[in-house]
Amino acid sequence: MTGFRTLSSGLRALRPAAFGADPSGERLERILRSPNFADGVFRNPENARIRPDASMLEFAKVYFRKEERAHRAPSGTVPVHATTVADLARPAASGLRLTWMGHSSILAEIDGHRVLFDPVWGERCSPFSFAGPKRLHPVPLPLAALGPVDVVVISHDHYDHLDLPTIKALADTATVFAVPLGVGAHLEHWGVSADRLRELDWHESTKVGGISLTATPARHFCGRGLRNTQHTLWASWAVAGDEHRIYHSGDTGYFDGFKDIGAEHGPFDATMIQIGAYSDFWPDIHMTPAEGVRAHLDLQGGQPSGVMLPIHWATFNLATHPWVEPGEGTIAAAGAAGARIALPRPGEPFTPLLSRLFQ
């Protein structure tokens, strides 16, 4: 038994820093006490298959099929808005402004506060710099050019949402980090001090300045290393200021809980909803465009109010669908439902209450 412990410790010492750290101590005790943790793992609000609904060989055959691979990348250059420091220095005219940086990364300016969701400035969403899905468009502007951020919000610990180089850069700032339960272990391992972490279970809230942030349920999973212990939680987020309310879905499959989230924390001036990287191989953990629009309506009490910003598409090739399909599918689904959506270029600030939108 002693030899086994020594070997395990040696393997942990060799693993890449990007794998993060396992929860321990009081953090692990909180996890074990969570009502969402049972039989050694965090549980989804509804049953979900978290592995491909077929063999990995079947998935690989589809993913690497030559005639389809060409459609999973843009046919030309992805248009990126040349965001400037001056763009972001001007106060939002209505008190609410969103700047989509690509994938699920968004700078939200809400009632005088700045919230940065799932910031990924790295070139690859991978633990390695030489392999893994590579960015399909450049970041709109350097991370340092964003200016001060009041709070960084992380939805879960997958590489396309929690990026080691980005977190290390933000660790030297004064920002607060709001993260799901257990994710703080990764951040502390990478240099974020414990006093700057707000680590929440579902339905728990924290105040940062004049805004309230609540971790709300999502239907997904977690994991960064060679084995998935399900010891870190995944979440969507509801954020409320003095005048405005916004919602970020993180990654999630469709589930009835959107209605409950909307009833308790909505309606929202804007929702940021995952509509990309879906597949028949994993139908329970990512939404299709039609499901994303349905979730938006659920969050708004069934009414086509507020604005939906589609996220989790265009930046990384993570599934087998064509690159353009999430955007086109969202336009079609929103049109059929009478919902308003925004499709800004990466880096293009827009004001949900004032901008011209698709409807």
Side-chain angles (χ1 to χ4, degrees):
M1 184 64 73
T2 302
F4 177 77
R5 288 198 185 103
T6 302
L7 178 61
S8 297
S9 298
L11 290 174
R12 281 197 297 271
L14 291 173
R15 73 183 189 178
F19 280 10
D22 296 325
S24 60
E26 174 54 29
R27 178 175 283 116
L28 182 57
E29 290 300 316
R30 281 192 66 198
I31 290 170
L32 296 176
R33 293 193 301 267
S34 169
N36 303 303
F37 191 84
D39 300 324
V41 296
F42 277 110
R43 298 291 185 176
N44 271 298
E46 295 178 10
N47 288 336
R49 292 158 291 177
I50 63 173
R51 291 178 176 82
D53 194 19
S55 73
M56 288 304 296
L57 179 60
E58 284 183 72
F59 172 70
K61 285 179 179 178
V62 175
Y63 189 82
F64 292 107
R65 192 177 291 153
K66 184 176 180 181
E67 60 270 24
E68 294 182 7
R69 289 178 66 186
H71 297 293
R72 296 204 301 271
S75 57
T77 301
V78 179
V80 175
H81 181 77
T83 312
T84 67
V85 175
D87 288 334
L88 300 177
R90 287 190 293 269
S94 70
L96 178 62
R97 181 168 60 200
L98 304 178
T99 305
W100 179 51
M101 300 295 177
H103 203 56
S104 296
S105 303
I106 297 171
L107 176 65
E109 297 166 272
I110 174 171
D111 298 335
H113 298 82
R114 307 176 96 230
V115 182
L116 184 59
F117 290 97
D118 283 355
V120 174
W121 259 249
E123 194 61 25
R124 295 182 185 271
C125 50
S126 165
F128 309 109
S129 61
F130 55 86
K134 191 174 182 180
R135 181 177 287 279
L136 298 174
H137 65 78
V139 292
L141 79 169
L143 186 63
L146 288 183
V149 174
D150 296 294
V151 56
V152 172
V153 175
I154 303 296
S155 64
H156 63 296
D157 71 357
H158 286 161
Y159 290 98
D160 56 324
H161 297 260
L162 181 62
D163 178 55
L164 170 59
T166 305
I167 297 300
K168 278 187 168 291
L170 291 166
D172 294 330
T173 69
T175 187
V176 171
F177 291 80
V179 303
L181 188 55
V183 174
H186 300 314
L187 273 62
E188 280 197 67
H189 185 62
W190 298 334
V192 178
S193 59
D195 62 342
R196 289 165 54 205
L197 291 173
R198 309 287 178 85
E199 205 161 344
L200 306 182
D201 204 344
W202 289 341
H203 308 297
E204 292 182 343
S205 299
T206 188
K207 294 274 289 189
V208 177
I211 57 173
S212 174
L213 304 104
T214 302
T216 47
R219 195 182 185 205
H220 200 55
F221 68 110
C222 65
R224 294 180 71 85
L226 297 177
R227 59 192 180 91
N228 182 4
T229 61
Q230 295 290 85
H231 279 183
T232 66
L233 189 59
W234 48 95
S236 57
W237 289 86
V239 179
D242 292 335
E243 300 291 337
H244 299 95
R245 294 171 179 267
I246 57 177
Y247 171 86
H248 189 284
S249 72
D251 277 3
T252 182
Y254 179 82
F255 69 113
D256 285 339
F258 291 118
K259 299 172 185 176
D260 298 328
I261 294 170
E264 185 170 355
H265 301 285
F268 299 98
D269 298 289
T271 67
M272 296 156 272
I273 304 290
Q274 172 263 309
I275 52 90
Y278 49 85
S279 173
D280 290 339
F281 286 105
W282 50 80
D284 298 338
I285 56 173
H286 280 166
M287 292 189 289
T288 65
E291 289 172 326
V293 171
R294 183 180 173 191
H296 167 75
L297 295 174
D298 287 351
L299 289 160
Q300 304 293 54
Q303 301 300 316
S305 60
V307 180
M308 173 182 162
L309 172 62
I311 62 172
H312 202 265
W313 77 291
T315 305
F316 297 106
N317 184 345
L318 302 176
T320 59
H321 58 66
W323 183 84
V324 299
E325 189 176 281
E328 292 179 343
T330 303
I331 291 173
R340 296 191 305 158
I341 63 169
L343 285 172
R345 293 170 293 174
E348 182 178 8
F350 85 97
T351 302
L353 305 179
L354 300 178
S355 300
R356 180 179 177 275
L357 305 165
F358 287 94
Q359 189 168 25

